[in-house]
Amino acid sequence: MIYLGLLLTCVAGWLLLPRDYEWGLAAKLSFAFAAGAAAISIEMFVLDLTGVDWGRVTVFLPWIVLAGWRGYRNGAALLDPVWPWRVRMPGLISLLLVAVVLIPVLVWMPFERATPLTSWDAWAIWMLKAKAFYVDGTMSGYLARHEEFVGQPGYPLLVPLYAAFLYVIEGDVADGAAKVISPCFLLALLGVFHHFVRRWTPPVPALAFTAMLAGIPMVDHLGFELAGYAGTALSLYFVAAAGFVYEWYREGGVVNLAGACLAATAAAWTKNEGQFFLAAVLVLVAFQLFRVRTERPALNWCWLAIPGLVLGPWALVRGSHGIEAAGFTPLVDFEGGLFGIALRRLLSMGFDTQLYNLTFLLLLASIVGALVLRARLLFWILPGLAIWQIAGALLAYATGRNEIQWWLGTSAGRILAQIAPLALMAPVLVYGEWAERSAATKSAEAEPVKRTDSAPKGRKRKGRR
Amino acid sequence: MLGAARSAVSVTDLCHSFGPLGAGGMACPVPTFCRPGRCYDRRLRRAPEITLAAVFVVWMVLAAPILSTQLGRSAEAWETFSGLSAEERDLRADPVAVQVARDVAAGVPEDGCVTVLAYVGADAAEYYRGRLAYLLYPRRVRLFPRSRARTEGCGHLAVFRDTAGNLRGSPFQGRWDQGELDAWLETLEQVHRGELAQVYRLEDGEAE
């Protein structure tokens, strides 16, 4: 039944996705899972706040209504692009690269499926909440008893409430089965990452970068060995939000704007680090809304209110139980010594190829490459967001109340693993820009008449608002 | 148009066809292509693809041994756990905590509270505190690495001693008076004698 729950998650997410947006089957399924998991967790939250019991009927009913409405509105077009004859078969090199993408998944999956829930944060924080919510039939039982537990009761609820939904479908606390959500988030991460990099590079390089992402040891470790943690889900929403923000700056479009705000909200609804990320995304969105005249400005500004609608009630619920959000207060208790220790540790870990392969080295190389290529200003959004997240982690370490070496030892690897997929987006952009300019060189050599053609293709898209 | 392109580059191509130094040992002109504001070396036009291919190969070479090790771990995990029920997997992965949780669950109702006196190391105490809270939820669990503890408001007492192997890794550092504990336990009603933990009923409000 857990697998049925995962399927229903994809269906629910599919119903939420806009029809007139360009995405392939794998990308749409990935976005559907990401959207479905976030939406279902919010639905569970709202049901609990309104006093409605979590039963199969009550949880399914809104989705059945939505499915009926969308089916009536869109008919068979709702299934785009599922129809098999519309799925284009990739070439041989692409097929090989797809296989390379799947190798780490196939290597890790038996390990994840065989082992029970054994990792500390999984049962001390995320899955404990899920179990408590399901067993109590409400969030308030656990929240009222939060002082009994060693976990972090103030952490956001996407993963616990989504796992509780799976327990509702299963009718039992099947934690060993439910931790499969982490590999599912990882697969969705690969799909979403590929969706964006495919927009910035040709098909083969896009798959190559996706295969590289799939081969980052700590990303796999977080997704499979630490299944039941929220880190992989956070990575997914980071990548989705960053991709949408970049696309919105580049091309405009309400889908990109909405996607950025919703994905960043989902990140903040997943982990506290996501709230730091959300702040950056909101600043970027607000800046662009101020800067550029749009068709429906009031409606566009409304998207900025979405985070408040989700995180506001959670802050109120948390506050009513006297629960603090996290074990640190940024900027208040800052200690330079701790900052230095954390910085050295993160740098030494980040450039360890056994942990992150060449991810952070490529991030640095992409920054140099962007300077050499004189990349457009909007390029800096992606490396900026990755560096912003690293800075946020350093700030947390420098203001935390935990013993720093212990804290770094138990969390730094995961923190960087959460950021690694986001960090890999900047190298893709630089590669895309470089390849595009080289292609322009080649095509101009073949057609000398066009040698004076100035800007590469991508630049012409600016201002399609 | 293609002919024009050929003729436009034919001088440098012809020069390079004699070798890297060109005809008569003289250096060939660097083939360039210019766009407003910048010129590019035409010989580097495949550089992005070649660079990506090189990075990709290095990336995979670095990833391969790690994946190979993981393949072995996955096979081992599959061999260890496949064919077992979820409960059996839990027990196989974490035998002490899961067995203690089962022993306690057999003697304490779901809405009950249990104070656990555990002969365990300091680090292990933190672990068991969290682990038992998860495994025994919704029961209230208090765990102390000592032989005496306040038990007000808690209806059950459980006692367990960690395995010798675990104690070697995390030695006991608390205070444990077995004689005093035995004397206390003799006054209590034992409700369950498990493999690793014994559960007793406490009179509500009983202190120490």
Side-chain angles (χ1 to χ4, degrees):
Chain A
M1 293 297 272
I2 292 285
Y3 296 104
L4 176 66
L6 297 171
L7 183 67
L8 290 169
T9 306
C10 289
V11 172
W14 192 284
L15 295 170
L16 295 171
L17 297 179
R19 196 165 58 85
D20 51 349
Y21 186 76
E22 187 186 331
W23 37 32
L25 178 59
K28 193 162 185 181
L29 275 175
S30 301
F31 278 104
F33 181 77
I40 285 170
S41 69
I42 292 169
E43 179 202 5
M44 297 279 283
F45 183 62
V46 171
L47 287 176
D48 190 51
L49 289 186
T50 51
V52 179
D53 289 340
W54 293 327
R56 286 178 186 160
V57 173
T58 50
V59 170
F60 282 149
L61 196 60
W63 301 108
I64 293 169
V65 171
L66 181 62
W69 182 70
R70 289 226 42 189
Y72 171 74
R73 285 282 304 271
N74 305 127
L78 183 62
L79 296 176
D80 284 346
V82 154
W83 304 109
W85 55 87
R86 291 193 185 176
V87 178
R88 280 173 295 173
M89 283 302 291
L92 182 63
I93 294 177
S94 297
L95 280 175
L96 282 173
L97 285 170
V98 169
V100 176
V101 171
L102 293 177
I103 283 172
V105 177
L106 295 174
V107 166
W108 271 98
M109 205 65 194
F111 181 88
E112 192 283 325
R113 283 298 70 206
T115 51
L117 190 74
T118 51
S119 302
W120 174 271
D121 278 17
W123 49 256
I125 302 175
W126 309 106
M127 301 304 262
L128 170 62
K129 278 187 189 171
K131 179 178 183 177
F133 293 168
Y134 170 74
V135 168
D136 295 340
T138 174
M139 299 186 305
S140 54
Y142 167 84
L143 295 177
R145 293 173 54 187
H146 71 271
E147 288 177 344
E148 294 175 28
F149 306 107
V150 293
Q152 300 281 357
Y155 280 7
L157 299 178
L158 188 147
V159 167
L161 283 172
Y162 178 55
F165 158 78
L166 294 177
Y167 292 160
V168 169
I169 303 295
E170 175 74 16
D172 193 13
V173 180
D175 50 12
K179 73 186 174 76
V180 77
I181 60 175
S182 287
C184 289
F185 277 118
L186 182 63
L187 286 171
L189 167 66
L190 294 174
V192 168
F193 180 85
H194 178 262
H195 167 78
F196 287 115
V197 300
R198 177 64 190 87
R199 293 173 84 94
W200 307 329
T201 65
V204 170
L207 276 170
F209 277 109
T210 310
M212 286 155 67
L213 172 60
I216 299 174
M218 277 302 288
V219 170
D220 294 332
H221 174 76
L222 186 60
F224 293 100
E225 186 150 8
L226 301 183
Y229 283 43
T232 307
L234 186 67
S235 285
L236 165 63
Y237 296 116
F238 276 174
V239 166
F244 278 126
V245 164
Y246 180 82
E247 285 295 299
W248 184 58
Y249 265 71
R250 195 172 72 132
E251 298 198 331
V254 73
V255 173
N256 288 326
L257 169 61
C261 292
L262 291 171
T265 303
W269 181 233
T270 304
K271 282 192 85 177
N272 282 339
E273 295 95 303
Q275 293 171 15
F276 200 70
F277 182 81
L278 173 68
V281 169
L282 292 184
V283 167
L284 284 169
V285 169
F287 176 74
Q288 183 75 341
L289 283 174
F290 270 122
R291 201 171 67 90
V292 178
R293 186 181 294 177
T294 55
E295 279 177 15
R296 287 171 291 183
L299 199 63
N300 287 338
W301 278 102
C302 283
W303 289 107
L304 289 178
I306 295 289
L309 294 177
V310 178
L311 301 173
W314 166 230
L316 289 175
V317 169
R318 205 176 54 214
S320 70
H321 287 91
I323 300 170
E324 64 176 10
F328 57 89
T329 46
L331 297 176
V332 175
D333 306 316
F334 185 84
E335 282 189 40
L338 296 179
F339 187 88
I341 293 169
L343 179 63
R344 281 195 294 278
R345 184 68 167 267
L346 289 191
L347 285 176
S348 69
M349 291 181 85
F351 294 112
D352 186 342
T353 55
Q354 297 286 305
L355 300 177
Y356 302 98
N357 212 311
L358 304 174
T359 305
F360 292 99
L361 203 63
L362 282 191
L363 175 64
L364 277 187
S366 72
I367 289 170
V368 174
L371 291 171
V372 170
L373 289 170
R374 294 179 212 163
R376 285 167 287 172
L377 204 57
L378 68 92
F379 159 80
W380 297 100
I381 290 173
L382 295 181
L385 284 171
I387 292 167
W388 170 259
Q389 278 309 116
I390 294 170
L394 289 171
L395 198 61
Y397 286 125
T399 55
R401 297 169 213 152
N402 298 312
E403 197 281 310
I404 187 70
Q405 293 297 354
W406 171 83
W407 198 12
L408 284 165
T410 54
S411 65
R414 290 183 287 113
I415 296 285
L416 287 175
Q418 289 165 184
I419 302 169
L422 178 62
L424 198 57
M425 295 176 97
V428 178
L429 268 186
V430 169
Y431 172 81
E433 185 79 14
W434 187 20
E436 198 173 62
R437 290 187 191 188
S438 296
T441 306
K442 276 181 274 182
S443 64
E445 279 174 359
E447 296 179 56
V449 174
K450 291 185 177 177
R451 278 188 178 187
T452 52
D453 189 10
S454 57
K457 285 184 290 183
R459 299 195 178 197
K460 292 179 182 172
R461 291 175 185 154
K462 201 174 177 183
R464 270 176 45 188
R465 193 163 304 282
Chain B
M1 194 177 285
L2 202 59
R6 281 204 192 100
S7 64
V9 296
S10 61
V11 176
T12 47
D13 283 354
L14 186 64
C15 179
H16 280 279
S17 70
F18 287 96
L21 288 178
M26 293 173 65
C28 294
V30 174
T32 55
F33 167 73
C34 296
R35 289 193 358 229
R38 197 174 181 99
C39 287
Y40 300 93
D41 185 337
R42 188 170 61 81
R43 293 170 302 183
L44 298 177
R45 65 190 186 278
R46 306 292 292 181
E49 289 92 335
I50 293 166
T51 306
L52 177 60
V55 169
F56 184 78
V57 168
V58 172
W59 194 287
M60 292 305 149
V61 166
L62 288 170
I66 298 164
L67 282 176
S68 172
T69 306
Q70 181 54 40
L71 190 61
R73 290 182 70 212
S74 294
E76 193 182 331
W78 192 258
E79 201 174 310
T80 306
F81 294 106
S82 64
L84 300 178
S85 67
E87 291 75 19
E88 289 167 336
R89 288 181 198 205
D90 286 339
L91 191 60
R92 181 73 65 90
D94 191 2
V96 178
V98 171
Q99 187 56 53
V100 168
R102 286 181 187 178
D103 292 344
V104 172
V108 181
E110 287 204 340
D111 59 350
C113 169
V114 59
T115 301
V116 182
L117 303 180
Y119 190 86
V120 298
D123 293 339
E126 188 71 3
Y127 174 79
Y128 286 120
R129 195 171 285 132
R131 192 71 171 126
L132 293 180
Y134 177 79
L135 292 168
L136 290 168
Y137 195 91
R139 297 169 188 83
R140 292 168 192 273
V141 181
R142 304 167 181 175
L143 186 141
F144 302 96
R146 54 180 185 258
S147 58
R148 292 177 68 123
R150 301 186 71 83
T151 58
E152 286 96 335
C154 208
H156 293 82
L157 181 78
V159 181
F160 94 94
R161 175 183 284 264
D162 209 345
T163 60
N166 286 346
L167 285 168
R168 270 196 298 277
S170 175
F172 181 74
Q173 294 173 355
R175 196 174 64 81
W176 194 274
D177 185 333
Q178 189 64 45
E180 187 183 43
L181 176 64
D182 288 341
W184 182 28
L185 295 179
E186 276 179 17
T187 65
L188 304 176
E189 177 196 356
Q190 188 175 74
V191 291
H192 182 73
R193 182 173 184 81
E195 282 182 37
L196 291 178
Q198 291 74 51
V199 184
Y200 302 84
R201 181 171 290 117
L202 290 165
E203 293 301 320
D204 190 39
E206 184 171 349
E208 297 193 338

